[in-house]
Amino acid sequence: MIKKYFLFYLLTLLPLLVACQEDEDDIFATAVITLLTDEGLTIERVQGTARITNLNSKQVTTTSDFNGSALHLSLMRSSYSIDLEGLVRYHDQQGQVYTKHMRAHTDYVALNQKDYNETTLDIIFLE
């Protein structure tokens, strides 16, 4: 008799336990932030800091892990403001290499797609 009750409770609770298990990965997604310049300029390297602020929670993520002209990071799906400052090394169509101070900014960008989000920012040269 006890085995019947145990089996009944196990079969009753099993769907509840499976339903309660939810991956947290659904709230995070990969974000790619790419820097753009004028036509004819090719970015070789960026050395700077990106400050990415979640507009809903006010949580700030700071990173400097650039890969060429792009940042790849995992963020909570939400709306963000982005501030970037640093140095950019680039070359023009003739092959001349330059290094300049730059910044980039946006007040609002929606990074809310489930798996992959991409946005671009225009560089403002400070010199």
Side-chain angles (χ1 to χ4, degrees), residues 17-127:
L17 292 175
V18 172
C20 291
Q21 189 261 342
E22 184 177 327
D23 290 335
E24 288 187 24
D25 293 339
D26 288 341
I27 62 173
F28 289 93
T30 300
V32 178
I33 302 166
T34 305
L35 299 177
L36 299 177
T37 63
D38 297 331
E39 291 186 31
L41 302 179
T42 304
I43 296 175
E44 293 179 2
R45 181 180 173 154
V46 175
Q47 183 176 359
T49 303
R51 182 180 166 97
I52 305 158
T53 305
N54 185 315
L55 296 176
N56 295 318
S57 68
K58 304 300 182 207
Q59 179 182 3
V60 177
T61 302
T62 305
T63 184
S64 59
D65 192 19
F66 286 91
N67 184 6
S69 65
L71 281 171
H72 297 265
L73 63 156
S74 178
L75 290 173
M76 187 180 299
R77 295 178 0 196
S78 186
S79 300
Y80 290 89
S81 70
I82 302 171
D83 287 301
L84 266 136
E85 288 189 32
L87 293 170
V88 62
R89 186 170 130 180
Y90 64 92
H91 66 270
D92 59 14
Q93 291 176 337
Q94 290 78 28
Q96 290 278 71
V97 177
Y98 301 93
T99 302
K100 288 189 178 181
H101 289 278
M102 65 86 187
R103 71 181 309 265
H105 172 77
T106 183
D107 287 327
Y108 176 84
V109 64
L111 301 174
N112 55 9
Q113 300 297 317
K114 188 171 183 175
D115 294 324
Y116 183 80
N117 295 278
E118 186 171 5
T119 190
T120 58
L121 293 175
D122 291 325
I123 289 178
I124 302 166
F125 292 110
L126 300 177
E127 296 177 351

